[in-house]
């Protein structure tokens, strides 16, 4: 593309366009936004990226991303007390649970779900590492997504954990808080009715 | 937010969330995407941003952004031949015209449009600079947006340019290529009919 401010700008656009949620058009808008706010946004963002490149590592214990390995969650002694280990597919799920304030728990990031069609088997996930550390905990909560692959993965892990004497649970299915029944699928509604609680 | 990987990651999320088109949720997704693709995407992006911070400047002549001032468009001798200067609101519009391949022309970036309600007057735009350089050209094309503010700005500039003996034009209004009449507003349709061309 000629005239769009040289190779440096073009390269920045192409790299930003590879972020999820940004296409070529929004990447161009983002780059112009950055250039217009050089001191206020572009310089701090460049510095933040440089620092993240230097400092961010994956936790060898749980798979979380942090500036140390083991991460701040794995090394926080208060988080050992509950004895609860929450197994998630992805770091994004770990962050979502932390934002929800689920309490002083620890996590294990699987790094995906079993998917024979995509050639993803148990050895591609951190299931062996999970089995190895599971006995440190009293309860394993399988907080995988409520998809077919997620549930298959949960079943596989439950089988693997059966030999250890552990409480294995999963998240409740039901009506999302603030959700309208009218818009819910039948599967969720029938699960919510089965798992009804007394008032 | 606790547990989401330390201050470095949190800061990166907050800065990315300030880009147009990205909110807190998509910024978190983008940061995880970057961390997972450290060598392939995060390191090159950090380097590209550092280079852009160092090299990108605004062209003192036309307002384009480039790695030199005057920019590569203003210094390209082939672009002098047409004698055409296209006046745009924003660098994004300049890029859009360049992508459309409008030919060997030069540009003038106004940096916005007149908007009394927002307190934006002629002195906030590069109108004086435009008048100063306009006589170097034989035709000034006012390629401002077809909004009320854009058209007000075009009228103001036309008045200012009247004393110079120059051809002043604007972009044609009409049916967008590939557009369906059914979805067009009445203003565009009546303009398109008025400006009909013979086959």
């Amino acid at each position: 593309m000629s005239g769009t401010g040289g190779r440096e700008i073009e390269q920045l656009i192409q790299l930003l366009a590879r972020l999820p949620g940004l296409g070529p058009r929004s990447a161009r808008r983002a780059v112009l936004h950055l250039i217009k706010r050089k001191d206020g946004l572009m310089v701090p963002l460049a510095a933040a990226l440089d620092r993240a490149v230097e400092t961010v590592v994956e936790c060898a214990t749980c798979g979380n991303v942090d500036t140390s390995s083991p991460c701040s969650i794995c090394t926080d002694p208060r988080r050992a007390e509950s004895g609860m280990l929450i197994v998630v597919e992805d770091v994004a799920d770990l962050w979502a649970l932390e934002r929800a304030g689920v309490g002083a728990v620890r996590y294990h990031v699987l790094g995906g779900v079993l998917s024979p069609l995509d050639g993803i088997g148990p050895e591609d996930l951190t299931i062996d590492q999970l089995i190895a550390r599971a006995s440190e905990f009293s309860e394993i909560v399988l907080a995988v997504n409520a998809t077919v692959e997620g549930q298959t993965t949960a079943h596989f892990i439950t089988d693997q954990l059966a030999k250890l004497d552990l409480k294995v649970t999963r998240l409740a299915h039901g009506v999302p808080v603030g959700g309208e029944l009218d818009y819910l699928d039948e599967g969720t509604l029938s699960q919510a009715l089965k798992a009804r609680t007394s008032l």
Side-chain angles (χ1 to χ4, degrees), chain A:
Chain A
M1 212 187 318
S2 67
T4 56
R7 225 171 51 82
E8 282 80 1
I9 296 177
E10 192 50 43
Q11 201 171 28
L12 191 54
I13 292 171
Q14 280 173 11
L15 288 166
L16 277 177
R18 286 172 54 196
L19 291 179
L22 286 179
R25 180 179 292 264
S26 43
R28 283 195 297 267
R29 276 182 64 210
V31 167
L32 278 177
H33 190 88
L34 283 170
I35 291 172
K36 280 182 194 159
R37 288 152 191 84
K38 193 166 181 174
D39 293 329
L41 186 55
M42 197 179 187
V43 172
L45 181 60
L49 261 178
D50 286 336
R51 271 198 308 278
V53 165
E54 276 168 36
T55 60
V56 173
V57 289
E58 193 173 277
C59 173
T61 307
C62 76
N64 187 18
V65 289
D66 200 347
T67 49
S68 60
S69 171
C71 72
S72 57
I73 292 180
C74 286
T75 52
D76 183 350
R78 285 167 305 166
R79 287 177 181 264
E81 287 161 24
S82 75
M84 191 187 284
L85 180 72
I86 302 188
V87 179
V88 292
E89 289 179 20
D90 206 27
V91 176
D93 302 326
L94 186 162
W95 289 1
L97 287 161
E98 282 293 295
R99 283 198 304 280
V102 292
V105 299
R106 290 214 168 125
Y107 297 93
H108 190 85
V109 179
L110 290 174
V113 278
L114 295 175
S115 176
L117 282 177
D118 298 323
I120 298 171
E123 65 285 356
D124 299 309
L125 309 178
T126 61
I127 293 180
D128 286 347
Q129 293 92 314
L130 170 63
I131 307 301
R133 65 188 290 229
S135 49
E136 297 165 30
F137 300 88
S138 56
E139 180 177 353
I140 312 290
V141 184
L142 299 178
V144 289
N145 290 332
T147 56
V148 173
E149 287 91 354
Q151 296 310 305
T152 309
T153 310
H155 278 295
F156 183 86
I157 293 173
T158 309
D159 286 349
Q160 298 282 305
L161 290 171
K163 44 201 152 183
L164 307 169
D165 188 26
L166 281 170
K167 189 175 169 188
V168 182
T169 56
R170 66 159 174 78
L171 295 182
H173 289 308
V175 182
V177 176
E180 296 183 44
L181 298 195
D182 204 15
Y183 290 95
L184 277 177
D185 63 292
E186 295 79 9
T188 304
L189 271 181
S190 81
Q191 290 268 10
L193 185 65
K194 265 190 227 155
R196 67 192 177 278
T197 55
S198 56
L199 290 168

